[in-house]
Amino acid sequence: MSGAFRLAAGGRIDRAAPLRFRFDGRPYEGLKGDTLASALLANGMHLVGRSLKYHRPRGIVAAGADEPNAIVQVGEGAWTQPNARATEVELYDGLVARNVTAWPGVGFDLGAAASLLSPLLVAGFYYKTFMAPGRWWRRLYEPALRRMAGLGRAPAAPDPDVYDKRHAHADVLVVGAGPAGLAAALAAARTGARVMLADEQAEFGGALLSEGDEIDGRPALEWVGRAAAELASLPEVVPLPRATVFGYYDHNYLAIAERRADHLGPGAPPGLARRRLWRVRARRVVLATGAHERPLVFADNDRPGVMLASAVRAYLNRYAVAPGRRAVVFTNNDDAYRTAFDLADAGIELAAVVDARSHPAGERVGEARRRGIEVLAGSALTGTRGRRRVAAVEVRRLDPGGSAVEGPARTLACDLVAVSGGWSPAVHLFSQSQGTLRFDEARACFVPDRAAQAVRPAGAANGTFTLAGCLAEGLAAGAAAARLAGFGDGTAPPAPLVRTARDGPIRPLWFVPSGRPAARDGGRHFVDLQADVTAADIRLAAREGLDSVEHVKRYTAAGMGTDQGKTANVNALALLSQAVGRPIAGTGTTTFRPPYTPVGFGLLAGRDRGELFDPVRVTPMHAWHVAHGAVFEDVGQWKRPLYYPRAGEDMAAAVARECRAARGGVAALDATTLGKIDIRGPDAAAFLDRVYTNAWARLGLGQCRYGMMCGQDGMVLDDGVTTRLAPDRFLMTTTTGNAARVLDWLEEWLQTEWPGLRVYCTSVTEQWATVAIVGPRAREVLGPLAPGLALDNEGFPFMTLREAEVAGIPARVFRISFTGELSFEVNVPAWHGLALWEAVMRAGEPFGITPYGTEAMHVLRAEKGFIIVGQETDGTVTPLDLGMDWIVSRTKDFIGKRSLLRPDASRPDRKQLVGLLPEDPGEVLPEGAQLVAARPARAIGLKAGRPIPMIGHVTSSYSSAALGRSFALALVKGGRGRIGATVYAPLVGRTLAARIVEPVFYDREGKRRNG
Amino acid sequence: MLLIPCPWCGPRDESEFRYGGEAHIGAPANPGSLSDADWADYLFMRNNPKGWFRERWMHAQGCRRWFNAVRHTVSNEIAAVYRMGEPPPPAPGPGREGET
Ligand SMILES: [Zn+2]
């Protein structure tokens, strides 16, 4: 048996397919076709959570995406999803779910504690309550806020599911497959246009799935079936059920979350992507997103058993579930009378229809009276009773103005209250597309006004609430969209026949007085059930001067839950309008933002996780590094060996050994990742003169030069060695992480400012592999490998290029040095990179050649005072700050020169590059440590002391094998004038002192580069 | 995600492009003759209008060409694109709103 409240007949559920599930640890049974919500209701479970602030019991209110209360966590362990709406969770066998709002549990009534806290939880409590005292923060506020901020729990283990992404183009994208959407899709598809039809539900039909409507004299679902079958038969149509269009972005770009395996649970076939993210560029969009019913705001309207009237119909008709045994309908419009009829037809006792209108006279009202249903016109619910479920309501007469109730109260026993305050078109996507809204007084709702993109709303989303109107508007919108996309002549197919009831007008009623004095009424009139915001909160915000709807939203948190206030927003802004005495049209709505319903991160990440998160670039020698135990570091997307530890070595020992080899014997570095740009053209030299701070025109063939680039602001952008390969050709090298940026920079100037220069730039980083052979014995290694190449200082001078065969491979050999040692950088086509590396390691074996990584490279260059862009510079450092005046030409113009002439660039207190020698040679200063001029009176700690002026910071800091001590580079205000002075690095609990020195620590004469 | 019509490649997703700020800010021919204030004005000051804006884009993941576009900063409508060095088209009328 699938629950005591299951009706004997009807519904779109499969009575032969029982499904077991657990909610909050208890076992239940439902049927195929149920949602978790309908299955719970079939078992008599209304209470599914506790409210956020006041811990009041809360029940299922809606039957779709608008559900504010029934927020559940589905699944267990790694396979779990927070913040799902029970009304949208399709039941499967073995489903496990628990409520996420009730702490410590649904049944446990926190009662006393909640009411104790409630004075603290009024509107603006985020801003008021948490100001003081400070010690309360850690003990009370933070734990409370954490519980309140996130409704679900993120899984602790990696998501075991696979998620897909697809890109699609559509001539017409129709959102929503209710009557208007199906009609639009049919009209568009029949023209041959490429049509996508996306709907959030498991089957097409929209509201028709929950209603007993007729089309052409037959059950409406027969028409739905025919329409769906016709669409499925057309080759250019993509029907997407279980697909929520959650975002409408610029230029008709929409995002769809398709749920492909959620309804199968953890037992879904392996390999089937759980969800698929569609990114659709549509020529035209038809928004047939339907409408959401509004609750009425009356006292204690949050008691479980109080539901939307349309939701009651959905549970009765679609799921064959009786949401109660004895019902009261409370409405201000004719539409809710349908609920009364459906309840009566299902054999459920109907206490009365309470109608706020004094003289309701629509066709359905007449029918109710004919059926003998008691209609209490001009009346309102002034309160509800019951512990965990409504047990009775109180009815009084509403005065004609709607601002007070009068006369005696009548109590009606009931366990279900079906409420309708009218309908709000689901304008979320239209509004996301930047379309404007307009308040329609007659229909008492916001409707789409002006579109900002190629979009057209249709049906209930457009404020057209009759079935006949939805069908006609859908057909017209679909045909028009197809024509604008280039298909058909825009003629809408004939609309099917539907009878429309003659409804009377709605009576807007935004607040139902309870009979208490007006000033004290509204504290239990809930406007936003999920954010636990009452009418009194809205009024308090207005009294405190917040009259903008955006401010009130943030102050009260109304509309800020995971449901984005789908049932709450219009009531909230109407109450605000009343409170400040302004028409609703003048208040406007808050901004609708994506996503329409919550979207899991897994969907957005798709396959871009783990190794596929970001491309990994490796050099041709990577396999050798791996095989030889290298520890890698990420440099941009590159994997570079950081050091090569030997057995028993820690990082410090390995780096010291690698440094000693480079300084005392021979060592090798894989320098392939250095950015390389081939610059060609008759004006190449003139171009380099403009982009580098130093002069290039007279650089000889085969000569290398160190260059520095600045931005237009005069700050260092990049540096590197560039070589003249031919009169009209240079090879530029850049910092590893900056290669793409520098190429962009060069191309920008060539294309936008200097189109007359005949220069072409080509990235050749990946075309060449580079091995640097470094150390006093470098010649002994390279010599046998390149027998045709003279290696002595005269035959192959420093800062020159030679082309030669190295290990039988055609190579460019550069005699340049980033370590201060004798050094040859051998470049070969990347294909030969590994062969060259292995040949070098073999040839170097007799000399103890040592592969070294980037850490040793950094130590060696820092010992020489060579800067690294991005480490010694941070976008605020000029070449002059680095003490590199010699590289800045006084005679020619270059990018950034004008900025270097500003007085600010020569301010004596600018931060300048200096060296630091810590007082304790065993202490390595932390990189980034701030420096102060005088030793602080006491060690800094977590308690704030007097502020100390900071004069600089450490940029690079290492322990040096060559120096036998620690050293550092730093940027210090007026640093060059402080040489010899002592500075202090205050760290937590201790202060380190260091002496300022020249920033070159090793071989200041530069003799070692000649070997 | 804008759909940007590259004058060389046709319409492509915004994610293929790099933004380049306001167009038609030529680098001064002789920066040395500019006062510090004028140089700072060239370097740092840009218009930020609500409405039509001539701006630079680069098709970074495509042809790698810089070009100019006329975009409405509220509606994001792109009224025209034109190649570097071409004169800007006349200013469009008020931004398109409403195409139902
Ligand atoms: Zn292009």
Side-chain angles (χ1 to χ4, degrees):
Chain A
M1 185 61 202
S2 70
F5 289 80
R6 186 77 66 179
L7 298 171
R12 299 181 68 73
I13 32 91
D14 184 350
R15 290 165 197 276
L19 305 172
R20 287 154 303 149
F21 70 101
R22 300 178 76 86
F23 180 71
D24 277 345
R26 291 212 190 91
Y28 298 94
E29 202 173 281
L31 295 173
K32 191 169 161 47
D34 264 329
T35 62
L36 176 58
S38 70
L40 287 170
L41 288 172
N43 286 279
M45 284 281 293
H46 272 255
L47 174 60
V48 290
R50 289 273 174 179
S51 79
L52 193 62
K53 293 191 308 194
Y54 306 113
H55 213 70
R56 291 166 68 98
R58 290 286 161 81
I60 296 163
V61 166
D66 48 342
E67 171 62 37
N69 286 340
I71 310 298
V72 296
Q73 180 114 9
V74 182
E76 295 173 300
W79 200 93
T80 185
Q81 185 207 347
N83 293 334
R85 290 148 304 285
T87 49
E88 292 193 306
V89 173
E90 291 178 57
L91 203 63
Y92 53 81
D93 199 45
L95 181 143
V96 176
R98 56 192 171 78
N99 92 85
V100 296
T101 55
W103 168 83
V106 225
F108 180 78
D109 190 350
L110 213 56
S115 44
L116 197 71
L117 281 171
S118 66
L120 300 177
L121 298 174
V122 293
F125 70 97
Y126 289 107
Y127 308 98
K128 295 171 183 164
T129 308
F130 301 124
M131 298 306 290
R135 67 177 183 280
W136 283 29
W137 180 259
R138 202 156 36 91
R139 289 193 206 148
L140 179 63
Y141 305 152
E142 190 183 326
L145 278 178
R146 277 191 190 286
R147 217 170 19 249
M148 291 156 82
L151 289 175
R153 280 181 193 281
D159 191 334
D161 281 311
V162 172
Y163 301 85
D164 269 343
K165 290 181 187 174
R166 286 190 67 170
H167 294 259
H169 292 266
D171 294 314
V172 179
L173 169 61
V174 180
V175 185
L182 281 169
L186 277 178
R190 284 173 185 166
T191 67
R194 291 172 303 171
V195 173
M196 292 181 77
L197 174 60
D199 188 276
E200 62 188 358
Q201 300 204 61
E203 51 179 335
F204 288 168
L208 296 178
L209 296 166
S210 302
E211 308 282 7
D213 291 298
E214 292 192 342
I215 294 177
D216 283 334
R218 301 283 307 159
L221 288 173
E222 289 183 13
W223 177 86
V224 169
R226 281 198 308 278
E230 182 180 343
L231 289 168
S233 75
L234 293 170
E236 296 295 343
V237 174
V238 179
L240 285 178
R242 297 190 175 98
T244 303
V245 180
F246 66 83
Y248 195 140
Y249 305 94
D250 285 309
H251 295 182
N252 265 22
Y253 192 74
L254 292 93
I256 307 176
E258 183 191 1
R259 299 178 301 280
R260 290 161 54 78
D262 281 72
H263 61 290
L264 303 173
L272 175 62
R274 180 171 181 185
R275 293 178 196 162
R276 183 184 271 167
L277 175 65
W278 290 79
R279 295 193 267 208
V280 182
R281 185 78 72 176
R283 279 190 213 281
R284 307 291 311 182
V285 171
V286 176
L287 291 178
T289 45
H292 295 138
E293 195 163 25
R294 286 193 299 266
L296 286 163
V297 180
F298 57 98
D300 291 324
N301 59 337
D302 64 331
R303 217 175 284 287
V306 179
M307 303 177 78
L308 292 168
S310 57
V312 170
R313 294 201 294 280
Y315 290 115
L316 288 170
N317 299 327
R318 182 171 179 183
Y319 302 106
V321 169
R325 304 279 192 218
R326 181 176 154 89
V328 167
V329 175
F330 180 26
T331 183
N332 64 349
N333 63 76
D334 280 1
D335 189 65
Y337 281 77
R338 295 203 278 169
T339 305
F341 304 150
D342 290 351
L343 284 165
D345 291 347
I348 293 162
E349 197 181 336
L350 190 59
V353 174
V354 178
D355 194 324
R357 298 171 296 181
S358 312
H359 304 286
E363 181 184 330
R364 287 179 171 127
V365 182
E367 187 184 340
R369 290 190 169 119
R370 257 195 317 284
R371 282 186 176 220
I373 294 170
E374 185 176 12
V375 176
L376 302 173
S379 302
L381 298 197
T382 54
T384 67
R385 270 183 260 147
R387 264 176 57 76
R388 292 179 188 171
R389 171 90 181 261
V390 64
V393 297
E394 195 179 77
V395 184
R396 293 178 75 182
R397 293 216 31 105
L398 192 63
D399 83 348
S403 58
V405 287
E406 54 202 17
R410 180 173 156 192
T411 299
L412 300 173
C414 61
D415 61 356
L416 174 67
V417 182
V419 177
S420 178
W423 288 82
S424 298
V427 293
H428 306 68
L429 292 173
F430 184 82
S431 186
Q432 283 180 28
S433 79
Q434 306 297 319
T436 58
L437 306 176
R438 155 180 81 77
F439 189 73
D440 185 302
E441 296 285 350
R443 287 175 285 183
C445 61
F446 281 93
V447 294
D449 190 10
R450 283 184 320 245
Q453 298 200 37
V455 58
R456 178 159 157 170
N462 199 30
T464 300
F465 297 130
T466 65
L467 176 53
C470 285
L471 291 167
E473 250 185 55
L475 290 166
R483 184 183 65 76
L484 288 165
F487 295 85
D489 61 3
T491 308
L497 282 175
V498 178
R499 210 190 94 60
T500 302
R502 291 182 310 280
D503 281 345
I506 185 174
R507 173 187 182 177
L509 183 64
W510 306 110
F511 181 83
V512 183
S514 69
R516 292 183 193 88
R520 279 190 278 123
D521 205 8
R524 290 189 164 185
H525 291 59
F526 284 87
V527 178
D528 188 321
L529 292 166
Q530 191 178 106
D532 228 10
V533 176
T534 65
D537 289 328
I538 307 274
R539 290 172 176 168
L540 177 62
R543 276 204 306 281
E544 293 185 353
L546 298 153
D547 59 356
S548 146
V549 63
E550 294 285 1
H551 292 163
V552 169
K553 169 180 171 174
R554 282 153 185 81
Y555 198 59
T556 63
M560 291 183 70
T562 59
D563 65 341
Q564 290 193 351
K566 289 185 176 65
T567 53
N569 287 339
V570 176
N571 282 336
L573 63 91
L575 282 165
L576 172 66
S577 301
Q578 282 186 344
V580 298
R582 182 173 56 195
I584 292 174
T587 296
T589 63
T590 52
T591 310
F592 293 87
R593 292 192 177 86
Y596 173 69
T597 48
V599 172
F601 284 118
L603 180 76
L604 301 177
R607 312 253 173 166
D608 304 332
R609 39 188 277 203
E611 286 197 327
L612 297 180
F613 177 68
D614 196 35
V616 170
R617 301 172 78 184
V618 297
T619 73
M621 298 79 124
H622 187 72
W624 191 96
H625 306 319
V626 172
H628 289 76
V631 173
F632 290 89
E633 73 164 333
D634 293 333
V635 182
Q637 291 170 331
W638 289 101
K639 294 281 178 205
R640 296 197 71 179
L642 181 62
Y643 60 100
Y644 300 80
R646 287 181 181 164
E649 266 185 347
D650 62 5
M651 177 168 168
V655 170
R657 172 178 52 74
E658 291 171 14
C659 287
R660 276 194 302 271
R663 294 264 183 248
V666 64
L669 174 79
D670 178 357
T672 303
T673 63
L674 216 59
K676 294 177 275 292
I677 300 170
D678 191 297
I679 298 172
R680 291 181 92 153
D683 298 319
F687 177 57
L688 292 183
D689 258 342
R690 296 187 192 185
V691 297
Y692 276 131
T693 59
N694 49 346
W696 291 81
R698 283 201 288 276
L699 185 70
L701 280 188
Q703 291 198 316
C704 316
R705 180 166 290 170
Y706 174 76
M708 181 166 272
M709 292 180 201
C710 292
Q712 289 206 80
D713 55 4
M715 303 303 155
V716 173
L717 187 76
D718 201 55
D719 68 345
V721 170
T722 290
T723 304
R724 190 164 212 162
L725 302 175
D728 62 346
R729 188 175 182 193
F730 293 81
L731 182 73
M732 173 186 283
T733 63
T734 74
T735 309
T736 293
N738 242 354
R741 187 171 159 214
V742 170
L743 182 65
D744 275 8
W745 178 246
L746 300 180
E747 289 189 334
E748 180 176 347
W749 282 92
L750 284 171
Q751 290 184 38
T752 66
E753 295 293 342
W754 306 324
L757 287 186
R758 292 160 299 167
V759 179
Y760 302 91
C761 301
T762 310
S763 166
V764 293
T765 303
E766 307 236 320
Q767 275 63 38
W768 295 89
T770 306
V771 180
I773 305 170
V774 175
R777 307 192 74 172
R779 287 194 181 98
E780 293 168 72
V781 176
L782 182 57
L785 288 172
L789 186 61
L791 295 180
D792 59 294
N793 283 320
E794 290 70 39
F796 193 168
F798 184 59
M799 294 304 270
T800 60
L801 158 72
R802 294 288 180 268
E803 301 210 351
E805 278 202 354
V806 178
I809 306 162
R812 291 172 176 167
V813 185
F814 298 83
R815 221 198 113 188
I816 52 182
S817 177
F818 195 39
T819 58
E821 298 298 327
L822 174 67
S823 172
F824 299 92
E825 293 195 1
V826 184
N827 283 247
V828 296
W831 180 254
H832 300 293
L834 181 58
L836 173 70
W837 178 268
E838 288 178 335
V840 167
M841 298 312 287
R842 265 195 310 276
E845 206 175 349
F847 311 100
I849 195 166
T850 303
Y852 70 99
T854 48
E855 184 66 11
M857 179 190 85
H858 276 262
V859 176
L860 295 167
R861 65 90 200 170
E863 289 170 348
K864 286 291 294 174
F866 295 153
I867 62 133
I868 286 196
V869 170
Q871 188 149 346
E872 271 64 55
T873 72
D874 58 4
T876 68
V877 178
T878 71
L880 312 175
D881 298 337
L882 297 171
M884 296 171 73
D885 312 47
W886 52 271
I887 207 168
V888 180
S889 168
R890 310 252 173 251
T891 51
K892 59 148 195 170
D893 195 15
F894 57 86
I895 297 171
K897 181 170 189 176
R898 179 64 188 81
S899 291
L900 294 177
L901 299 175
R902 292 163 64 233
D904 190 66
S906 48
R907 233 178 49 230
D909 66 339
R910 289 186 65 84
K911 283 188 179 178
Q912 295 166 336
L913 184 71
V914 294
L916 293 181
L917 289 176
E919 208 166 61
D920 177 352
E923 281 277 11
V924 177
L925 293 166
E927 287 178 357
Q930 295 293 322
L931 301 171
V932 299
R935 183 182 286 277
R938 59 186 169 117
I940 61 164
L942 291 173
K943 290 203 168 169
R946 294 257 306 278
I948 312 168
M950 290 174 288
I951 61 166
H953 64 275
V954 176
T955 60
S956 296
S957 181
Y958 309 98
S959 175
S960 163
L963 305 177
R965 57 162 302 137
S966 60
F967 74 105
L969 295 171
L971 288 167
V972 174
K973 283 184 182 173
R976 282 199 292 278
R978 295 184 195 247
I979 302 273
T982 298
V983 288
Y984 301 89
L987 308 174
V988 174
R990 66 200 176 123
T991 295
L992 300 180
R995 190 160 49 85
I996 297 184
V997 297
E998 291 288 342
V1000 183
F1001 299 87
Y1002 188 75
D1003 182 31
R1004 296 187 63 174
E1005 304 76 25
K1007 287 180 186 151
R1008 301 190 57 87
R1009 69 189 186 205
N1010 290 326
Chain B
M1 177 82 78
L2 306 183
L3 187 66
I4 300 174
C6 171
W8 306 89
C9 307
R12 296 289 189 276
D13 278 351
E14 180 187 353
S15 54
E16 295 183 12
F17 295 83
R18 201 191 113 188
Y19 186 62
E22 187 176 6
H24 303 295
I25 308 278
N30 188 1
S33 68
L34 264 57
S35 69
D36 282 344
D38 287 346
W39 176 251
D41 184 60
Y42 155 71
L43 206 54
F44 301 118
M45 303 311 285
R46 294 293 182 270
N47 288 313
N48 185 20
K50 182 178 182 180
W52 293 109
F53 190 48
R54 295 194 299 236
E55 61 192 16
R56 309 184 314 154
W57 288 88
M58 198 263 274
H59 195 185
Q61 311 290 322
C63 63
R64 294 195 60 79
R65 291 284 200 147
W66 281 92
F67 59 91
N68 294 319
V70 181
R71 182 180 62 95
H72 197 280
T73 56
V74 177
S75 70
N76 277 331
E77 183 189 349
I78 294 174
V81 292
Y82 52 104
R83 298 173 185 187
M84 282 292 154
E86 289 180 356
R96 165 169 50 96
E97 283 186 289
E99 202 196 315
T100 48

